[in-house]
Amino acid sequence: MDCDAFASNRDVASPAEPESQTLISPPRTLYAEDLAVGDIWTTEMRQVTADDVQEFANLTGDHTALHGDQGAESPYGKPIAHGLLGLSILAGLGTNHPKASTLAFVSVEDWRFVAPVFLGDRVQARNEIVEIEPHGRRAVKVRWLRQLVNEAGSVVQEGYFVTLVASKARGRKKPR
């Protein structure tokens, strides 16, 4: 696994050619016992709109010119979405891919903004389990490689999310 501190130029399979190891998210909730290092999920595509960017700017107060009409004068030649909007979209897309019994979001590590996301781009999330370690008796700590991928199949953002995922035993009642 490339844990390099610099932005990666890695690509993932395009939406038209899914990876053979990509898993379809089952409708049921997955627990610690259902997860394994190397499992990969890819989400549906989502278009990033000008309305998304405007609403994000209004919510955060970040009205930097390169996210609006003056983006055409930026080094990118057209407006781009906020980097943190891309990260937020990735987090939302990944909520059900997989639908894990998440107890807590612990951290974001080594996040890289590899390339801009332009207004109108279609993106999807790719989630891969890279590490699982016990966390108490009823949970595991999962380290996920999370990637935001554009419709051309290029990684535009990537890094690691760490979450706590419940075991099946957590949901069982203790005998009295």
Side-chain angles (χ1 to χ4, degrees):
M1 195 58 48
D2 179 15
C3 295
D4 196 66
F6 299 100
S8 169
N9 290 325
R10 287 182 298 179
D11 289 336
V12 296
S14 69
E17 301 174 23
E19 294 179 308
S20 60
Q21 62 190 155
T22 298
L23 303 174
I24 305 285
S25 287
R28 65 184 175 86
T29 299
L30 298 179
Y31 293 89
E33 296 84 354
D34 302 317
L35 304 176
V37 171
D39 287 350
I40 297 171
W41 291 265
T42 302
T43 71
E44 68 278 1
M45 299 292 281
R46 182 197 188 285
Q47 186 169 27
V48 179
T49 67
D51 286 344
D52 293 332
V53 171
Q54 185 60 53
E55 288 176 19
F56 190 82
N58 291 340
L59 178 68
T60 62
D62 180 354
H63 296 279
T64 305
L66 63 95
H67 303 303
D69 293 338
Q70 294 177 5
E73 300 167 18
S74 76
Y76 305 108
K78 54 186 175 180
I80 63 170
H82 300 77
L84 292 177
L85 173 58
L87 177 63
S88 298
I89 288 171
L90 177 139
L93 285 171
T95 301
N96 290 310
H97 299 281
K99 183 178 178 182
S101 181
T102 304
L103 299 171
F105 181 70
V106 177
S107 66
V108 175
E109 300 173 352
D110 302 321
W111 199 259
R112 293 175 293 280
F113 299 91
V114 180
V117 174
F118 296 102
L119 281 59
D121 279 1
R122 290 173 30 92
V123 296
Q124 68 184 151
R126 180 181 179 277
N127 304 316
E128 179 179 355
I129 297 174
V130 296
E131 186 177 344
I132 299 174
E133 64 181 55
H135 186 82
R137 293 182 294 153
R138 298 188 198 137
V140 294
K141 186 183 288 188
V142 180
R143 188 167 192 244
W144 309 81
L145 171 62
R146 303 289 304 269
Q147 296 175 310
L148 188 63
V149 181
N150 66 19
E151 61 194 317
S154 297
V155 174
V156 294
Q157 293 186 19
E158 69 179 349
Y160 299 93
F161 281 19
V162 178
T163 63
L164 297 182
V165 176
S167 71
K168 290 177 184 173
R170 184 175 188 87
R172 295 186 197 129
K173 293 187 177 188
K174 295 179 185 178
R176 293 183 181 223

